[in-house]
Amino acid sequence: MIEWLAIPAIALGAALIPGKKMTDEKKIQQIFENRKVGINQRENFLHPILIRKYNHTTYTTYIYSLPLGVPSEAFETFIPVLKDGLNKDVEIEFDDVLKINVFEQGLPSSWNYDDTLLQADTWEIPVGKNHKGILYHDFEKYPHMLVGGVTRFGKTVLIKETFYTLLMNQIKDVEFYFLDLKGGLEFGKYEGLPQVKAVASDVFEAAEVLSDIVDDLKKREKMFRAKGYTNIVDTPIKKRTFVIVDEGAELSPNIIAGEGKKYAKFCQAALSEISRIGGGLGLRLIYCTQYPTKEAVPMQVKMNIVARISFIAAAQIASMVILDEKGAEDLPSTPGRAIYKIEKKRVVQVPYIDDKYMMEKMEERENEIIHATANRKPVNDNRPAGYDENTPPAANT
């Protein structure tokens, strides 16, 4: 009979022998034995067996075979035990075998953005450093992104870094719509750039902007059908349109009261449509919230976003909303520390960028930025005379 012994949620205790120098390899084996990691098979207890070890420049990979019947997902809860026992950062991977990466140095507590991170003519942004180097996110492969975490830990800095990188990489071919629902305070200053088509500061303005975007989306659909296109990455079309929502909770009909509720419903429906079909048409949605609840993150939006970034979360349920698994609640209280997830979770330190740096660098390339879209048709303001909060969005009339 084979029995999987679950890893008990107790302190490491006697995992290490005080006063005796041990290699990391021996420490891991000792921890396996002391924590009874493995299975009972008749009269024998089978632990994971080390089959290979690779020494890299900054870390070592230990590869273990697992006894048949040991669930690999159980090792996710084992990471804190290994970190405490080795006093080093640890990462676990599974690929038919158990891989334990043990890093000699921890992540930096902060690092500054500079223009060496730019990847000209691409749609890639640096999401952060991990133990193996700098990770980039490619919006051509994964067009949308969901971002969450408590306030003042890096969401807005990430948005600024994303905006700046995309602008400088693709001055001629990028455009932005900001739903800056903190009163337009963060991104209103960039509204004069030709690449910034609109900045909405409340739910009523957001409804107008999204109404225009949905109208444009419908036009793109017709054009794609006429030309036989299915995905913009396979076409000669270079332009990409980024819709960036900073504080999506302000568009929740369950949170907003009064007249704004119907506008919020329209906004969530529009964002759902952008996330469902916009990617193939050249629209990219970046949806951010410091209140990651099911009310603040529409299910249709979440279901259609593969790429997730979570800064420290106030509770496990918030981590589940953003990442679909726990972990963000256990991040250290380090501004910029986050989990980046596509096919798997990676802990990263997001680079820091401020408005002064962005302004100085944009001024150096002022002529390129200002004249990049000189031949484009302006976006018309369709706001009717006498507009007020009781006027329904154009798409609803």
Side-chain angles (χ1 to χ4, degrees):
M1 175 180 168
I2 297 177
E3 178 188 0
W4 159 247
L5 298 186
I7 300 168
I10 58 173
L12 182 60
L16 304 180
I17 300 174
K20 185 174 180 180
K21 185 72 173 176
M22 299 176 69
T23 64
D24 287 345
E25 178 182 329
K26 289 184 177 179
K27 287 179 182 179
I28 294 171
Q29 188 62 39
Q30 186 74 61
I31 292 170
F32 284 160
E33 293 174 4
N34 288 348
R35 296 300 296 270
K36 297 190 182 299
V37 178
I39 58 172
N40 274 324
Q41 188 176 44
R42 298 184 179 89
E43 286 132 19
N44 298 319
F45 191 88
L46 305 181
H47 298 288
I49 298 173
L50 181 67
I51 55 176
R52 211 169 293 121
K53 180 174 80 171
Y54 294 107
N55 293 314
H56 308 277
T57 304
T58 58
Y59 67 100
T60 302
T61 301
Y62 300 90
I63 300 178
Y64 292 84
S65 64
L66 297 178
L68 190 63
V70 175
S72 60
E73 61 272 12
F75 284 90
E76 286 292 327
T77 62
F78 195 58
I79 293 176
V81 177
L82 286 172
K83 283 184 177 180
D84 290 345
L86 300 174
N87 197 26
K88 295 178 181 178
D89 281 351
V90 173
E91 180 182 88
I92 287 180
E93 301 177 45
F94 298 98
D95 185 13
D96 295 327
V97 291
L98 169 66
K99 296 180 181 178
I100 300 177
N101 296 317
V102 179
F103 301 97
E104 297 303 318
Q105 295 182 336
L107 292 177
S109 58
S110 65
W111 65 294
N112 291 328
Y113 186 102
D114 64 61
D115 277 21
T116 62
L117 296 169
L118 295 174
Q119 304 283 321
D121 301 320
T122 74
W123 298 100
E124 298 179 12
I125 63 158
V127 292
K129 280 183 180 178
N130 72 352
H131 296 92
K132 298 179 182 179
I134 298 172
L135 293 178
Y136 280 79
H137 175 82
D138 188 350
F139 281 101
E140 289 292 86
K141 294 181 179 177
Y142 304 98
H144 309 313
M145 180 180 286
L146 178 62
V147 183
V150 301
T151 187
R152 304 194 67 81
F153 274 86
K155 290 189 309 303
T156 300
V157 169
L158 174 67
I159 301 172
K160 289 180 178 179
E161 180 249 305
T162 299
F163 162 61
Y164 175 80
T165 302
L166 293 169
L167 174 66
M168 301 302 262
N169 280 346
Q170 298 279 1
I171 287 175
K172 295 181 180 180
D173 297 314
V174 68
E175 63 183 19
F176 299 93
Y177 291 88
F178 285 101
L179 308 186
D180 183 0
L181 300 166
K182 300 173 183 175
L185 299 178
E186 291 290 352
F187 298 98
K189 61 177 74 71
Y190 302 110
E191 198 165 8
L193 299 179
Q195 294 84 356
V196 178
K197 313 312 292 184
V199 178
S201 60
D202 59 31
V203 67
F204 308 108
E205 293 177 358
E208 274 197 58
V209 169
L210 287 170
S211 178
D212 289 342
I213 294 171
V214 171
D215 286 345
D216 178 59
L217 185 151
K218 298 301 183 185
K219 292 175 184 176
R220 294 189 192 198
E221 280 187 306
K222 291 180 180 178
M223 184 268 286
F224 271 52
R225 284 198 300 268
K227 292 184 176 290
Y229 296 157
T230 56
N231 192 314
I232 196 167
V233 299
D234 301 318
T235 76
I237 302 170
K238 294 183 177 180
K239 186 178 79 170
R240 302 292 184 268
T241 301
F242 285 79
V243 181
I244 300 177
V245 181
D246 190 11
E247 200 35 71
E250 295 298 320
L251 301 179
S252 171
N254 296 316
I255 295 174
I256 293 178
E259 190 65 27
K261 191 178 289 289
K262 65 182 179 183
Y263 289 80
K265 288 181 179 178
F266 170 78
C267 288
Q268 286 204 342
L271 290 168
S272 296
E273 189 164 6
I274 292 168
S275 68
R276 285 197 318 274
I277 62 177
L281 300 170
L283 276 75
R284 279 81 179 96
L285 174 63
I286 303 174
Y287 189 97
C288 309
T289 180
Q290 69 187 52
Y291 305 104
T293 64
K294 62 181 181 180
E295 290 81 13
V297 184
M299 183 56 66
Q300 281 291 330
V301 170
K302 179 179 173 179
M303 287 174 60
N304 288 283
I305 298 181
V306 175
R308 316 282 181 86
I309 296 181
S310 181
F311 295 85
I312 187 171
Q316 189 178 110
I317 191 170
S319 180
M320 295 294 295
V321 170
I322 298 298
L323 301 175
D324 284 327
E325 57 183 301
K326 59 187 180 180
E329 75 282 4
D330 293 325
L331 286 170
S333 298
T334 303
R337 190 63 54 87
I339 293 174
Y340 170 59
K341 179 184 176 184
I342 296 182
E343 75 285 357
K344 64 179 181 179
K345 294 190 302 184
R346 297 178 178 91
V347 178
V348 298
Q349 183 68 31
V350 174
Y352 177 77
I353 192 170
D354 58 26
D355 292 316
K356 181 180 178 182
Y357 179 90
M358 293 168 64
M359 289 295 189
E360 288 176 352
K361 292 299 182 179
M362 285 191 279
E363 285 173 2
E364 291 175 9
R365 298 178 66 179
E366 180 179 359
N367 286 336
E368 288 180 77
I369 292 171
I370 297 301
H371 300 297
T373 57
N375 297 323
R376 282 198 195 161
K377 294 174 68 175
V379 175
N380 293 322
D381 183 358
N382 294 321
R383 179 181 300 195
Y387 170 88
D388 62 27
E389 67 178 33
N390 294 316
T391 305
N396 285 358
T397 58

